[in-house]
Amino acid sequence: QVQLEQSGAEVKKPGASVKVSCKASGYRFLSYAVDWVRQAPGQGLEWMGRINPDNGKTKYSQKFQGRVTFGSDTSATTTHLELRSLTSEDTAVYYCARFRLDVIGGSCFDYWGQGTLITVSS
Amino acid sequence: EIVLTQSPGTLSLSPGERATLSCTTSQSVSSSYLAWYQQKPGQAPRLLIYGASRRPTGIPDRFSVSGSGTDFTLTISRLEPEDFAVYYCQQYGGSPPVTFGGGTRVEIK
């Protein structure tokens, strides 16, 4: 079955960087893009961007452009997110999600990781 | 940016009642590229419906969607105890390519 397994929670100090990984299994890794979505405590969902593991192409939300980098390791079927210059406003649960785009129309995030809590605190 | 506005913010209903959740987009969105998710506390969102009316395996048919253009509705025909959660709509295709609505909480009255 399709699974996205994320790395564990972390506590970081302001100004630091964090890397969150997302290991995919149960499907052909190169056939689907992976998006990153975050959720601040008690808030809604915020899209951060996408990586296509097939060609390494990325698309970032303008809000995070220059501060975030997505990568992928095809041999390990893992994608990762690196977020730099952390502030308290980056405290959130970070999710990876498989992006599905059907040829005949229809798009969605059909599978999600369990989420990784990143706490930024001095 | 295509802004998605969900209403009401909170819906207080009893089990067995019908729930009607609204998602209004700031620009016309193809129903093919609008999806709905359910999220329970401490859990990741779960896909409910996408591509106008497609439900993933395991999603019961009491969940349905309607609408077009800028106005979309998620209907839960008869609320079950497990349906009390937060619901998000999401669009694909604008710039940025993905945006989410702010969510509607369905709580037990």
Side-chain angles (χ1 to χ4, degrees):
Chain A
Q1 71 281 24
V2 174
Q3 286 190 314
L4 298 173
E5 187 70 26
Q6 297 185 223
S7 51
E10 300 203 48
V11 179
K12 294 292 184 179
K13 292 195 180 302
S17 299
V18 69
K19 191 171 181 177
V20 180
S21 66
C22 171
K23 180 170 176 59
S25 61
Y27 70 95
R28 186 175 181 270
F29 181 64
L30 299 181
S31 295
Y32 294 85
V34 172
D35 288 36
W36 289 88
V37 175
R38 78 176 187 179
Q39 186 171 39
Q43 302 301 308
L45 302 168
E46 180 176 35
W47 182 76
M48 299 181 70
R50 171 174 302 151
I51 182 165
N52 188 334
D54 188 31
N55 54 24
K57 285 188 176 179
T58 56
K59 188 165 185 67
Y60 300 113
S61 165
Q62 195 168 2
K63 176 175 178 177
F64 301 100
Q65 189 87 37
R67 203 162 66 91
V68 70
T69 301
F70 301 143
S72 69
D73 179 344
T74 55
S75 63
T77 65
T78 298
T79 57
H80 71 261
L81 165 159
E82 181 180 28
L83 188 61
R84 300 176 290 277
S85 302
L86 293 168
T87 73
S88 59
E89 295 189 352
D90 293 315
T91 294
V93 176
Y94 291 75
Y95 294 102
C96 60
R98 191 178 82 164
F99 178 67
R100 172 176 174 163
L101 182 61
D102 289 351
V103 174
I104 58 173
S107 71
C108 62
F109 298 118
D110 58 354
Y111 291 92
W112 294 66
Q114 82 275 21
T116 297
L117 175 61
I118 302 300
T119 302
V120 183
S121 173
S122 55
Chain B
E1 175 177 333
I2 299 178
V3 177
L4 279 60
T5 302
Q6 292 189 242
S7 62
T10 301
L11 201 50
S12 298
L13 295 167
S14 301
E17 291 193 292
R18 182 185 189 90
T20 303
L21 288 67
S22 173
C23 176
T24 301
T25 62
S26 61
Q27 302 173 37
S28 183
V29 171
S30 167
S31 59
S32 292
Y33 298 119
L34 193 85
W36 292 83
Y37 303 85
Q38 177 193 68
Q39 188 179 35
K40 296 180 180 179
Q43 296 183 16
R46 176 174 76 144
L47 176 65
L48 278 182
I49 294 181
Y50 73 104
S53 60
R54 300 180 197 175
R55 285 187 302 274
T57 302
I59 302 299
D61 61 5
R62 63 178 179 273
F63 293 93
S64 63
V65 297
S66 60
S68 63
T70 61
D71 293 295
F72 300 89
T73 300
L74 171 70
T75 300
I76 311 171
S77 58
R78 286 177 55 86
L79 283 165
E80 297 289 339
E82 63 267 27
D83 298 336
F84 291 92
V86 179
Y87 293 84
Y88 294 96
C89 56
Q90 171 254 319
Q91 70 83 29
Y92 166 73
S95 179
V98 175
T99 49
F100 289 91
T104 291
R105 178 180 307 276
V106 179
E107 65 175 25
I108 299 176
K109 186 174 181 181

